Amino acid sequence: MSWIIRAGPYDRPQLNERPIYLRTNFYILAVIQTCWHLYYDYDRVVLPYRSSYSSSNGESQIIPSPEDQLKSKLPRRAERTFRRSLSMVVLGPLIYQLFLRRFAWRWTIFFAAKVWALPRSSSMPPKVLPYHISVILRTISSSYMLMMLWELANLSFEIYVAQEPLKKGKPLTDYARDPNGTLLTGLKSKREVSRAFAFWELSIICKRFPTRRKSFFEDIDRNGGPTWTQVLNVCLGTIQSMNSRVTESMKSSSSSSTALTTTTTTTTTTTSTSTPSTPAQPSHQLTIHRLPRISTPLKDDPIFRNPPSPSSRRGQAQERLGSLAKSAGLSPPSTRKGWTPIDLLSYIFQQASDRLLTPEQKRLLSSSHLSGLLNETTLSFLRTALGQPFRQPLQRRAICTLLGASPADIDVPVCAISALAQLATCSLTEDPFGKVAGDVPLLIRTFRDAVTVLEGFQAGFRPHWSDVQARDEGVRSGDFESVDELLGVLRGALGDVLEGFGKYAGTLGLDGGEMRAARRAAGMGD
C-alpha cells in the first residue's frame, strides 16, 4: 500500500492507486456517517431521570454505571457497524468509479509530482482498477475500525454526559462556597444545558438530601429574597410560560379557522349581492308608440356561401389554426376596452384552449386538477424515507408548542413540578418560619390551570398536513407521549400537595369550589 511502485530498479516510479482508493473510501465513510449522525440525532443527550417521575413522591430509578451501560449497548452498536462496513464493499467502488476517481487521482498527483519524478503518462488513472481482494479486505477492516471509533465516541459522550450531577454521592453545588446561591444562578441561567442540569440537581436535592432541602426554608437573608421564594418564582415561571405558550397556540388556531370561515361567508354574501337574480326595475316607465311596419325586415344572411368543412385531420387542424390566428389579430370588442396585455393574453389562451382542446383535456389542465395532482405527489414523497425530514409529527409539534424555541425536551418542566411538590409537602415538618404555607394556594392554582390547559391542548391538537402517518393511521396514543408524561407528573404533584394541605384549605384561603376543581384535575374525584 505504498504511494509509489517500481516495476524494476531502473524503471521510473509510478503512482499507486490503491492507497488513493482506500483514503477516498474514508472520506465517503465520513459523509455517510454525517448523514447517519443527523438522521438518528446522535448528539441528543437523553437525561435518565425522566422515567423516574411518574409521580412526584415516587422512588428514583437506579441509574446503571457508565461501564454497565457500555457493556449493554456496545454489542448492538458493533453489530450495526459491521453491517455498514460490509455495505461499503459495494458502495465504495461504485461511488469511487463513477464520481471520485479522476478527481482523487489528479489531486494526489498534484502533490506527488512535487516529491517524485513521475512520467507524463501518470496524468490519467491507469486502466487496471485497484479493486484487488487484499484491498477489499483492508477496506472492510479499516471501515469497521473507523466507524467503530466514531460510534464508541458518540456512545461514550451520550452515557457520561447524562450522569447525575453528583460528586462523591453529594450534589455538585455542595462543594461551592455558596451552595444555594450557585444553584439559583444555574436555575436562572440562559444556557439551556446549565439550566437543565441545575433543575435536575434541584429535583435530586428535594428527593434525597433532607439536610440540604431544609436549608432552602432556613435561608431567608439573601439578596433577591429567601431561597424558597426565588426557587418558587423560577419554577412557577417555567410552568406559567408553558401555559401561556399553549394558550396562545390554541387562540391562534381558533382565530385562523374563524377567519377562514368569515372570509368564506363574506365572499358568498358579496357574490350574491353583486349578481342579483333579477335586475331592479324602475317604478315609472315611459311608453313609446312605434309606427306600424309596412315592409318585411331586411335580411342579414351572409352573401357568400360557407366553404365545406374539411374531412381530413390535416384540413381540420389548418382550419382551427387559421381561425385562431384571425381571432387573435382582430381588435377586442368594445366591452374589452382598457384591457391590459395580460388580460389579452388570457383571452387568447382561453380562445385557443376552447378551439384546440377537448373537454377532457381542459379538465386535466385545470388549476383544481393540477393542484390536486401536486398535493398527491407531495404526499407520496413525504411517505418515503427521503421525505421524513420534512414531516411535522404530532410529538415534535407538541414539544415545540410546550417549550417554544428551547431546544431541550420536557426535562426542565418535569423537574420544576416535581421539586415544587416535594418542597411543599416536606415544608409541613421542615419549614421553621411557615413561609411556604402562604404560597400553597398559588401553587395549587398553577398546577390546576396547567392540567386544564394541557388537557384542552391535547384534545384540540390536530395533525399537520405533512404528518402523513397520522393522516393514514390516525392519531395514536403514543403521539402525545411528552404531553401524557407531563400530565402524569402534574396530576401526581397536585395530588400530593392536596393530600398534605387539604385539611388546611379554609385557613389558606381556598374555597370548596377551588378544592373540588383541583381534585378533579388531579384525578381524585370530588
Side-chain angles (χ1 to χ4, degrees), residues 158-169:
E158 175 186 341
I159 291 175
Y160 281 94
V161 170
Q163 293 299 301
E164 292 181 327
L166 302 177
K167 181 180 180 181
K168 298 180 180 180

Side-chain angles (χ1 to χ4, degrees), residues 50-61:
R50 287 182 53 193
S51 60
S52 307
Y53 293 112
S54 58
S55 62
S56 62
N57 59 349
E59 293 295 333
S60 299
Q61 183 180 2

Side-chain angles (χ1 to χ4, degrees), residues 474-497:
V475 180
R476 300 170 298 179
S477 58
D479 292 336
F480 290 100
E481 181 181 358
S482 298
V483 181
D484 292 337
E485 184 177 356
L486 200 55
L487 275 173
V489 174
L490 275 170
R491 292 191 181 106
L494 182 57
D496 290 343
V497 177

